[in-house]
Amino acid sequence: MSEGLFDLPGAPAPARGGGSLADMDHTAAPLAVRMRPRSLDELVGQQHLLAPGSPLRRLVEGDQPMSLLLWGPPGTGKTTIAAVVSHQTNRRFVELSAVTAGVKDVRQVIDAARRDLARATGAVETVLFIDEVHRFTKAQQDALLPGVENRWVTLVAATTENPFFSVISPLLSRSLLLTLESLTDDDIAVLLDRALTDERGLNGEFELAADARDHLLRMAGGDARRALTYLEAAAGGARAKDADVIDLETLETAVDRAAVRYDRAGDQHYDVASALIKSIRGSDVDAAMHYLARMIEAGEDPRFIARRLVISASEDIGMGDPTALGVAVAAAEAVQLIGMPEARINLAQAVVALALAPKSNAVIMAVDAAIADVKAGKVGPVPPHLRDAHYAGAKKIGHGSSYQYSHDDPRGIVPQQYAPDVIDGTDYYNPTRRGGEAAYADRVANIRKILRDRP
């Protein structure tokens, strides 16, 4: 059961605005905890949630009861928002962890909150914060419904999983869903500067070298908690060496992560990405895995990697293995759904599948050749029998009058002209004999023979 659980039998009643999150700013607490913002104005990132009149501001500043579901990657501010609620609202704050709490705990909190609201004098509202709510079973989530439905509690629930899959529909429909985004490098930089100078943090004891700062931003990957945890570890390493500068060597030693030479805005970004795709094209699965690992370790945006894989699936594999595109798209969707670090596995699976697939560039060659002809002006009129015949008078001018329906032929193919005269007989798609495309090569040859055997 969470330390923040109050109003249970034998538990002391906290002051308003109290709670475990509010009490964890002592000097022995982790840096990431000590540096949690105390107000909405101190929050970094998530500006789309902080506009005047936004639900979050109404909850915190307007003391308006509502239940929130906070969905976002780790380290983006979900627990921080709960901490701000505990500091600023005139309500009792109760914290439960979905890892340790059960249905009985949930019901006790709701019953206590209901009793508090029913007091003749000094009625107190309760904010119930549940971290990792996706770990709650259906029965545990069902137990929340009466409290949320009747507003006996203001629920603030946090999850890293898609709530449309992990939260029951009745609870989802009774709560306002707020989506948090990964923090940018600029956001993380603000937090690092604040932690280095603030008296709650390192209080100006250390400077952070530029190359160490860049490495720290890469490792953070948009996760504020990770950034501050690494900074604290590096500060400990510098303190042990009696140094007042956190340099790259100290940071690497403290977090056991060597700096990967990779500038996400410069040559290395494009060189490594190019090497990944060319290794896939060359069917060297081991080299491709190496470059993928370099991009992941350097903090590359996984969505960028996924986009490149989707392109490669059609550009370099195409009809050699038509399923490759589906694999790449599925990996891209998985990146969006679950995020890093777990999505590294989905990306790796896609890289292996693409690297080992039979290769064909016939698709890209076909579409580029067709586009080149269109740009060159080869855009003759559509043959009359293919033109739209679904309006009055169309057949009087010959539109569609001689069109032959393919399904009426036992072969499913009718020998008639489809292309404009200017490119009739041009072969854009020239399949290879590699992988699954070999079957298409035979089929294309047979179809072209039938189509062009016209009277």
Side-chain angles (χ1 to χ4, degrees), residues 139-452:
Q140 289 169 309
Q141 293 186 36
D142 281 336
L144 292 167
L145 290 176
V148 173
E149 178 78 37
N150 297 287
R151 286 189 173 171
W152 295 330
V153 297
T154 293
L155 175 68
V156 180
T159 178
T160 56
E161 302 290 333
N162 189 329
F164 292 100
F165 297 115
S166 59
V167 177
I168 60 173
S169 296
L171 184 57
L172 192 61
S173 66
R174 289 164 173 80
S175 305
L176 189 63
L177 177 63
L178 301 184
T179 303
L180 283 74
E181 301 171 351
S182 292
L183 300 182
T184 66
D185 284 355
D186 289 340
D187 294 332
I188 298 294
V190 170
L191 294 174
L192 293 177
D193 291 341
R194 186 183 296 172
L196 286 165
T197 58
D198 195 286
E199 61 181 9
R200 292 177 297 155
L202 301 177
N203 198 28
E205 185 181 350
F206 302 98
E207 293 182 13
L208 184 62
D211 53 356
R213 179 191 182 92
D214 291 342
H215 184 36
L216 187 48
L217 291 174
R218 286 194 295 267
M219 289 190 298
D223 186 327
R225 186 184 299 109
R226 184 187 304 165
L228 294 176
T229 299
Y230 288 168
L231 177 62
E232 184 175 28
R239 189 177 290 114
K241 297 193 298 184
D242 198 25
D244 57 6
V245 175
I246 301 173
D247 58 20
L248 180 59
E249 181 183 359
T250 301
L251 178 61
E252 289 178 312
T253 302
V255 301
D256 194 27
R257 291 275 295 275
V260 179
R261 184 172 177 267
Y262 187 98
D263 179 3
R264 280 178 286 175
D267 292 343
Q268 283 289 312
H269 167 84
Y270 297 104
D271 288 348
V272 176
S274 175
L276 169 65
I277 297 306
K278 288 174 180 173
S279 297
I280 290 173
R281 183 181 299 147
S283 299
D284 191 331
V285 65
D286 302 302
M289 195 60 62
H290 166 78
Y291 292 118
L292 174 65
R294 280 175 64 170
M295 297 174 83
I296 291 173
E297 280 298 291
E300 179 60 79
D301 185 346
R303 295 170 298 180
F304 168 78
I305 302 174
R307 288 194 295 268
R308 296 302 296 265
L309 296 180
V310 171
I311 295 169
S312 175
S314 291
E315 180 180 3
D316 295 317
I317 298 167
M319 300 305 291
D321 182 356
T323 67
L325 179 58
V327 170
V329 170
E333 291 178 346
V335 166
Q336 296 281 7
L337 180 64
I338 67 173
M340 297 295 278
E342 290 84 356
R344 76 191 189 284
I345 308 170
N346 309 114
L347 291 172
Q349 180 179 349
V351 165
V352 170
L354 269 56
L356 298 182
K359 305 299 188 294
S360 170
N361 69 343
V363 169
I364 187 174
M365 297 295 289
V367 68
D368 284 354
I371 289 173
D373 276 355
V374 170
K375 287 182 176 180
K378 296 181 179 180
V379 288
V382 174
H385 58 284
L386 298 186
R387 297 177 191 176
D388 181 21
H390 292 86
Y391 60 92
K395 291 191 176 182
K396 290 182 180 179
I397 56 176
H399 289 189
S401 59
S402 60
Y403 172 68
Q404 299 180 64
Y405 192 50
S406 298
H407 296 288
D408 290 340
D409 190 288
R411 299 168 297 184
I413 303 169
V414 173
Q416 61 185 339
Q417 181 177 341
Y418 289 93
D421 291 340
V422 69
I423 56 105
D424 189 32
T426 301
D427 296 344
Y428 289 120
Y429 177 52
N430 296 294
T432 70
R433 292 283 174 177
R434 296 189 289 274
E437 197 165 36
Y440 290 97
D442 293 333
R443 180 161 175 76
V444 165
N446 290 334
I447 289 173
R448 284 173 177 161
K449 182 178 180 181
I450 294 173
L451 290 175
R452 293 169 184 175

Side-chain angles (χ1 to χ4, degrees), residues 25-38:
D25 55 0
H26 54 84
T27 56
L31 180 62
V33 173
R34 302 199 308 271
M35 292 305 302
R36 275 186 181 140
R38 294 159 294 190

Side-chain angles (χ1 to χ4, degrees), residues 108-129:
Q108 283 182 299
V109 173
I110 292 176
D111 288 343
R114 186 179 182 183
R115 289 195 302 270
D116 284 345
L117 287 174
R119 290 177 183 173
T121 59
V124 179
E125 295 180 10
T126 298
V127 173
L128 173 58
F129 173 61

